[in-house]
């Protein structure tokens, strides 16, 4: 089964939950870690890593004029694309976005409203699927007196659905993500959003849920050209938390980068599910501990453009 849109990860019968935590030991878990659960954690994590790089890059295609009129600048569109929402393609196809208020305030003329709500309800054909999305997005400039200071995008009853034959993927979004780019030498990304996915095949439905809540930084190699390359980092002292759930089984991880994850625009690699992974070196480390005191370490290490090795306690599992 091909991916309904370029950047949607389709996993089966798994729920991913990502929550930030302070510099604590890995949360205790009732069951020992397995290679299958570790692989699931890595697959879910790649989606969130892709969101960060998409926020820095912007969309993969040309930003249509209708996007600027709706208060959707390149990086806002990039973030949506990173989550598998083909907003710029929809705008090119003639989908209407209702903006409130209109005209919106944009003192620094960076195409990000000081605050505006965008309402959409549209359907189109995309990558061989019938695709539809509806709901509202709230876009707010971090500082409307500071050009390109960054933004926060919040979901308000936003959902999408892709259908092909007897197969469909329906998703609903809540929460928000934000990019702070005031300091050209060090960006800050905050992600606190919820994604619920229902996959249906031949009348059978699997429901997945994911909550992402973490903070990371991005340091461009050249602050004057931030889109080209740089390092993403999640602090080991204040790691993120990744929880993967399958039915009644819940697996909680702490995670951080070690060393930092190097992004490069020229890397166009994607996973089999269509997730963009533009990293050529660096690693993400996940630590796990169960209630019996047994620990596990999962390492996702990039060894070249889009190439990575996944190891669980030193043993390769991918």
């Amino acid at each position: 089964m091909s991916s309904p849109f370029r950047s949607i990860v389709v996993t089966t019968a798994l729920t991913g939950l990502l929550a930030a935590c302070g510099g604590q030991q890995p949360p205790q878990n009732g069951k020992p870690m397995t290679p299958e659960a570790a692989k699931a954690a890595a697959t879910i994590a790649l989606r969130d890593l892709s969101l960060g790089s998409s926020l820095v890059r912007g969309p993969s295609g040309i930003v249509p004029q209708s996007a600027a009129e709706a208060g959707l600048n390149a990086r806002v569109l990039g973030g949506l694309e990173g989550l598998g929402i083909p907003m710029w393609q929809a705008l090119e196809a003639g989908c209407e976005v209702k903006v409130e208020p209109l005209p919106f305030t944009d003192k620094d003329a960076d195409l990000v409203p000081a605050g505006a709500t965008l309402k959409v309800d549209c359907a189109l054909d995309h990558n061989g699927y019938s695709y539809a999305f509806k709901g509202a997005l709230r876009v707010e400039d971090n500082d409307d007196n500071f050009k390109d200071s960054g933004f926060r995008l919040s979901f308000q009853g936003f959902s999408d659905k892709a259908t092909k034959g007897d197969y469909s993927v329906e998703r609903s979004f809540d929460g928000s993500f934000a990019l702070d780019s005031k300091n050209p030498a060090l960006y800050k990304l905050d992600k606190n959003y919820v994604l619920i996915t229902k996959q249906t095949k031949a009348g059978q439905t699997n429901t997945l849920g994911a909550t992402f809540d973490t903070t990371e930084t991005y340091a461009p190699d050249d602050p004057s050209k931030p889109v080209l390359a740089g390092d993403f980092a999640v602090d080991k002292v204040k790691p993120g938390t990744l929880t993967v759930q399958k039915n009644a089984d819940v697996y909680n991880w702490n995670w951080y980068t070690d060393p930092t994850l190097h992004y490069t625009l020229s890397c166009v690699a994607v996973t089999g599910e269509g997730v963009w992974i533009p990293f050529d070196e660096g690693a993400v480390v996940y630590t796990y501990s169960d209630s019996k005191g047994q620990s596990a370490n999962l390492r996702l290490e990039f060894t070249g453009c889009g190439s990575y090795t996944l190891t669980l306690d030193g043993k390769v599992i991918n």
Side-chain angles (χ1 to χ4, degrees):
M1 177 66 64
S2 61
S3 175
F5 2 95
R6 177 181 176 276
S7 47
I8 283 184
V9 174
V10 178
T11 56
T12 56
L14 289 168
T15 301
L17 302 172
L18 196 64
C21 73
Q24 302 176 358
Q25 295 300 314
Q28 285 195 341
N29 298 274
K31 294 194 174 186
M33 181 49 50
T34 65
E36 291 74 20
K39 290 178 184 178
T43 300
I44 293 167
L46 284 170
R47 154 63 55 228
D48 198 52
L49 298 176
S50 181
L51 170 58
S53 56
S54 297
L55 282 168
V56 170
R57 177 195 66 176
S60 57
I62 298 174
V63 178
Q65 179 60 34
S66 54
E69 295 170 353
L72 292 166
N73 79 352
R75 284 186 172 148
V76 177
L77 288 172
L80 292 172
E81 184 175 316
L83 292 174
I85 302 170
M87 182 66 75
W88 69 266
Q89 295 95 326
L91 291 168
E92 284 194 323
C95 288
E96 181 183 2
V97 177
K98 296 181 179 179
V99 185
E100 299 175 356
L102 189 66
F104 53 78
T105 300
D106 182 19
K107 294 179 181 178
D108 55 11
D110 60 1
L111 302 181
V112 177
T117 299
L118 319 178
K119 297 181 178 180
V120 296
D121 187 352
C122 187
L124 68 151
D125 292 329
H126 183 62
N127 286 355
Y129 286 73
S130 297
Y131 177 78
F133 62 108
K134 63 181 178 180
L137 304 169
R138 178 72 180 175
V139 182
E140 298 172 285
D141 198 322
N142 286 345
D143 185 344
D144 203 34
N145 294 303
F146 192 113
K147 188 177 179 66
D148 297 325
S149 62
F151 65 90
R152 177 171 295 277
L153 184 143
S154 304
F155 296 102
Q156 300 178 348
F158 190 91
S159 63
D160 66 2
K161 185 176 183 178
T163 305
K164 187 176 185 179
D166 64 355
Y167 176 73
S168 67
V169 180
E170 186 173 2
R171 307 183 303 166
S172 61
F173 299 81
D174 199 0
S176 66
F177 59 82
L179 172 69
D180 183 345
S181 51
K182 262 192 171 183
N183 181 353
L186 189 66
Y187 291 10
K188 181 180 178 182
L189 291 78
D190 288 317
K191 293 172 285 187
N192 183 8
Y193 62 96
V194 177
L195 171 60
I196 297 174
T197 304
K198 293 182 179 180
Q199 302 172 62
T200 301
K201 174 68 175 177
Q204 293 189 335
T205 299
N206 288 315
T207 300
L208 320 172
T211 300
F212 302 87
D213 187 351
T214 193
T215 297
E216 61 188 292
T217 59
Y218 173 70
D221 290 352
D222 181 352
S224 68
K225 300 176 181 178
V227 71
L228 295 183
D231 289 306
F232 283 94
V234 175
D235 194 343
K236 184 177 181 179
V237 176
K238 296 185 65 177
T241 300
L242 170 62
T243 301
V244 179
Q245 179 178 334
K246 181 179 181 180
N247 300 323
D249 297 334
V250 180
Y251 302 94
N252 301 288
W253 305 78
N254 280 353
W255 71 278
Y256 54 90
T257 54
D258 182 26
T260 56
L261 204 58
H262 189 259
Y263 146 89
T264 178
L265 179 64
S266 61
C267 177
V268 295
V270 296
T271 67
E273 296 84 8
V275 178
W276 185 45
I277 47 173
F279 309 108
D280 55 11
E281 60 181 347
V284 185
V285 179
Y286 305 84
T287 57
Y288 179 92
S289 178
D290 66 26
S291 57
K292 295 181 179 180
Q294 296 177 320
S295 61
N297 284 277
L298 176 67
R299 184 177 180 87
L300 174 62
E301 183 168 6
F302 283 87
T303 56
C305 171
S307 298
Y308 63 87
T309 300
L310 189 63
T311 58
L312 179 62
D313 293 330
K315 297 180 179 180
V316 177
I317 60 172
N318 68 328

